[in-house]
Amino acid sequence: MHARPSGDELSAQPWRDVPREEARWMRPHLPALVDSMVEGVLRHVPEYARPDDPVYLDVMRVAAEQGMGHFVQMIADPDASWQEVHQVFFDIGYGEAVEGRSLEHLQNALRIASRTAWRYLSREADRLQKPRELAISLAEVNFAYLDLLASAAAQGYARAREKAAGEREQRRGRLLSLLLSQPPAPRDIVAEQATLAGWPLPERLAVIVLSPRPGSGGEGPAGLPPTLLSGLDRGRPCLVVPDPDRPGGTDRLTATLAGWTGAVGPAVPVDQAGVSLHWAHRALDLMAAGRLGHAPGRKAAKGRPRPGVLVHADRHLPDLLLQEGWTLAEAAARRRLAPLTALGPHRGGRLALTLLELLRHGFNATDAAEALCVHPQTVRYRLAQLHEVFDHDIEDPALRLELMLLLPVWLRDAGQEPA
């Protein structure tokens, strides 16, 4: 005989407090009891009423048979194994998640089945004139047993959800690799992987590359919306933004990327995602080196970037284009701007800055003077000097773009930063 359990054990395993011989009169009623449980679930849980799905009905019946068979066995032998019945309900919970149903329906079905079982057994106990204390004990056993079965089902449900989330992240990671690959992956393969990943393939996208952040473990921002694909490229967190041209564009990510420093590549068709990635990296490289000038209509940010700055590559075309052909630009600057070099770094640098502002302001001396913080007459005097030292017309429209590109290169080589 087993020793009588303590009060704490009674609350956790109340079947130990039911005399073992009570299992004998319960066993013959199991078939009818299972029928009642299945009927009750089908009547009260419409989500489980599937007259055209006999397999599903069989699963319900097996669950009821296994559950009630083990219930009675636990009364006859409180040390009987839980492994088989636990696995049955674990698998049921797992299946509910796989089929995309809420756990609420399963929990409701378990409550209905449990209540049906208790009422059936209580009526039979009354008919057999069992002590009233037995009905009370059976109620306690019923509730405790229900909790254990519901827990097993919840564990299976959670496991399936975890597995699905892991598989989805793997598929999204694979999709990101395909999108950013060079040469581009075939579109049909990308489309298939996008479907598997549950990521609607847009017409256009942009790639954001971020500077690794101390304390982030090399990972990107947390709490990203599911519309974004995220991963790592060359040790930097990167994000793929669908439809960046829609209202708000990448600016709608301001709150999400607060505190992160990065660069946004140009918006491109899906099969050119690698192009957007390339220019985002290049812009971030220049930004990190303090060599990215100001975007049109925005003030220049000299030196290395402050945390939380997000620059757009397509707003810094001159800097990026020059960086790609920097050696050619240096050689061209030395030749085209040799008269400034001959004047020395001080005088030549002053005239170079003046010429750059004049070019930016359409040779309007007043506007250029305001940008340089000098008197307009000073600008006019320097412009006269510039005309004297150059043997070509510096106001020729055909030369303006070339001079605007080469002057920042010359100034940097001379150790001066353009404004």
Side-chain angles (χ1 to χ4, degrees):
M1 294 290 291
H2 292 285
R4 182 176 175 81
S6 68
D8 288 342
E9 289 172 327
L10 276 175
S11 62
Q13 299 181 333
W15 45 85
R16 293 185 178 275
D17 201 36
V18 178
R20 296 187 178 189
E21 59 270 16
E22 299 296 344
R24 295 173 187 167
W25 64 264
M26 296 182 191
R27 280 200 176 94
H29 293 280
L30 287 177
L33 178 53
V34 167
D35 289 341
S36 296
M37 293 168 66
V38 171
E39 181 183 349
V41 171
L42 293 176
R43 185 168 62 251
H44 295 289
V45 187
E47 292 80 8
Y48 286 1
R50 298 184 176 187
D52 57 343
D53 191 349
V55 174
Y56 197 77
L57 185 61
D58 289 343
V59 171
M60 290 179 57
R61 182 169 293 278
V62 167
E65 290 173 347
Q66 291 277 348
M68 287 312 302
H70 185 259
F71 178 92
V72 175
Q73 181 62 24
M74 290 300 296
I75 294 175
D77 179 9
D79 294 319
S81 172
W82 277 85
Q83 183 175 352
E84 185 175 354
V85 73
H86 181 278
Q87 189 64 50
V88 167
F89 283 86
F90 181 97
D91 292 343
I92 290 173
Y94 193 99
E96 292 294 283
V98 169
E99 292 197 18
R101 281 193 296 271
S102 167
L103 189 59
E104 179 183 357
H105 300 320
L106 175 58
Q107 292 171 335
N108 190 24
L110 287 173
R111 285 193 294 268
I112 295 295
S114 176
R115 187 165 66 240
T116 301
W118 180 77
R119 286 176 176 171
Y120 187 104
L121 293 175
S122 295
R123 285 196 300 267
E124 189 60 24
D126 286 344
R127 189 182 69 82
L128 296 174
Q129 297 183 343
K130 296 289 183 179
R132 181 171 178 78
E133 289 76 11
L134 177 61
I136 297 173
S137 296
L138 287 177
E140 186 178 357
V141 174
N142 188 59
F143 291 134
Y145 194 74
L146 171 63
D147 287 344
L148 291 168
L149 296 186
S151 176
Q155 291 173 32
Y157 191 89
R159 180 71 58 81
R161 294 290 294 271
E162 290 171 3
K163 183 179 179 182
E167 290 176 350
R168 185 167 56 251
E169 286 306 309
Q170 290 178 0
R171 289 169 178 165
R172 287 168 66 92
R174 173 62 177 157
L175 174 60
L176 181 69
S177 298
L178 288 173
L179 286 171
L180 302 183
S181 64
Q182 289 289 1
R187 186 175 178 86
D188 58 337
I189 293 178
V190 173
E192 179 184 4
Q193 190 62 35
T195 300
L196 292 173
W199 194 74
L201 207 58
E203 290 297 320
R204 295 170 67 79
L205 54 77
V207 180
I208 299 177
V209 176
L210 304 171
S211 292
R213 196 168 168 180
S216 68
E219 297 297 326
L224 293 172
T227 53
L228 302 183
L229 295 179
S230 63
L232 293 174
D233 189 82
R234 303 179 216 171
R236 288 170 167 172
C238 66
L239 312 173
V240 172
V241 184
D243 302 316
D245 299 321
R246 71 186 185 190
T250 52
D251 294 335
R252 64 184 182 272
L253 299 176
T254 300
T256 302
L257 300 180
W260 287 84
T261 299
V264 184
V268 295
V270 170
D271 59 358
Q272 295 180 27
V275 173
S276 186
L277 174 70
H278 169 79
W279 289 111
H281 272 298
R282 299 301 288 130
L284 191 55
D285 289 340
L286 289 184
M287 188 182 182
R291 299 187 66 178
L292 199 64
H294 71 286
R298 294 169 172 80
K299 289 186 176 182
K302 294 187 176 182
R304 298 188 182 273
R306 302 183 311 276
V309 174
L310 194 66
V311 300
H312 293 255
D314 55 6
R315 298 174 187 172
H316 297 270
L317 288 178
D319 293 289
L320 289 168
L321 293 175
L322 282 174
Q323 186 63 25
E324 292 296 300
W326 189 259
T327 54
L328 176 62
E330 285 182 317
R334 283 193 295 268
R335 177 184 60 81
R336 178 65 78 180
L337 303 176
L340 296 177
T341 304
L343 295 175
H346 178 67
R347 186 182 175 200
R350 185 175 60 199
L351 290 180
L353 287 171
T354 301
L355 178 56
L356 183 58
E357 290 303 329
L358 283 166
L359 288 163
R360 287 174 174 171
H361 294 90
F363 284 90
N364 184 306
T366 301
D367 291 343
E370 183 179 350
L372 292 166
C373 299
V374 298
H375 195 278
Q377 189 58 38
T378 301
V379 172
R380 296 187 185 98
Y381 174 72
R382 293 178 185 174
L383 177 58
Q385 290 181 300
L386 287 164
H387 278 295
E388 289 179 5
V389 299
F390 282 102
D391 59 2
H392 54 267
D393 184 3
I394 57 175
E395 296 189 47
D396 184 349
L399 293 176
R400 287 185 184 182
L401 177 59
E402 180 182 347
L403 290 174
M404 286 189 71
L405 290 172
L406 297 181
L407 280 165
V409 177
W410 188 94
L411 284 164
R412 284 171 184 163
D413 281 349
Q416 300 187 49
E417 283 293 324

